[in-house]
Amino acid sequence: SFRILPFDKLIKKYVHATLHTLTIACICLGLTAVFQSSNNPNTSADDGYSANLVSMHSYLGIIAIIVYGANYILGFTSFLLFKTLNIAEEIKAALMPYHIFLGICALFAAVIAVETGIMELTSELTVDGNPACSYSVTSADLNPAVHYSDIAGGCRVANGIGIIVIIAAFLAFFAIFEHPKFSTTAPKDMDLIK
């Protein structure tokens, strides 16, 4: 959000901080929902408790949250409260590459966590005791697109969400890595093709 908004630097900084603060609130809400659901015997399919933090999705999610939280604290204290905390401009400049790096790592980890979560949920779906995200074949499946409508609607929705998440990540990475052709700070006479 920081580079692509057409506002003054201070306004972009506040919008950036506000969006990330809202993200922290969403993370807290999501974690609360997950742990309450797993620790409530009435919401489980077998009327028992569900184990927490047992899959790759869980650990990737925790890693994403830790990296995101660390970057949030770094950014909030170093770039938003820098005057209150008397942080010198040199220190801010030295911290900026780490802030960008941690932000990219947090985004990457979050995308992987979301995709593994979708995969984990779709692998557990069943219809009449059979995997819902699959279909029967009696010969070589050379054109799987013909059978795509044979899988459950929830699986198709999950696949669509997974593709949308990847596309959104690609767009976010494009915004993060400022290309000279689209840069507002790059020299105007830069020759892109030599």
Side-chain angles (χ1 to χ4, degrees):
S1 68
F2 194 79
R3 291 188 184 189
I4 61 174
L5 296 175
F7 304 122
D8 293 339
K9 184 176 181 180
L10 186 62
I11 292 173
K12 289 195 284 189
K13 188 183 285 191
Y14 286 131
V15 168
H16 186 74
T18 301
L19 291 174
H20 285 288
T21 302
L22 291 172
T23 301
I24 293 286
C26 289
I27 288 170
C28 292
L29 182 67
L31 283 176
T32 301
V34 166
F35 281 103
Q36 282 185 349
S37 173
S38 297
N39 295 320
N40 184 349
N42 297 325
T43 61
S44 178
D46 59 356
D47 292 330
Y49 294 101
S50 298
N52 290 306
L53 301 175
V54 295
S55 67
M56 183 59 69
H57 164 66
S58 303
Y59 291 110
L60 289 169
I62 294 298
I63 290 168
I65 290 167
I66 289 169
V67 172
Y68 188 87
N71 195 38
Y72 180 82
I73 291 168
L74 173 70
F76 195 82
T77 56
S78 301
F79 304 110
L80 206 59
L81 299 178
F82 70 96
K83 288 185 180 177
T84 306
L85 301 174
N86 293 324
I87 297 174
E89 290 293 328
E90 296 81 23
I91 294 174
K92 279 177 50 183
L95 291 175
M96 182 56 78
Y98 298 104
H99 180 61
I100 293 170
F101 174 75
L102 286 174
I104 292 168
C105 288
L107 175 61
F108 186 71
V111 168
I112 294 172
V114 168
E115 296 293 349
T116 56
I118 291 170
M119 188 176 73
E120 183 178 304
L121 284 174
T122 57
S123 69
E124 296 172 357
L125 293 176
T126 59
V127 174
D128 298 329
N130 297 316
C133 296
S134 185
Y135 52 87
S136 303
V137 292
T138 55
S139 61
D141 191 14
L142 301 176
N143 187 6
V146 172
H147 302 287
Y148 194 69
S149 62
D150 295 341
I151 66 173
C155 299
R156 292 192 302 257
V157 169
N159 290 342
I161 291 170
I163 291 168
I164 289 169
V165 167
I166 289 293
I167 291 169
F170 289 161
L171 293 173
F173 284 123
F174 181 77
I176 291 169
F177 299 112
E178 194 170 20
H179 190 282
K181 183 176 180 182
F182 304 105
S183 175
T184 56
T185 57
K188 299 299 180 200
D189 60 347
M190 179 178 278
D191 186 13
L192 297 175
I193 303 172
K194 294 188 180 191

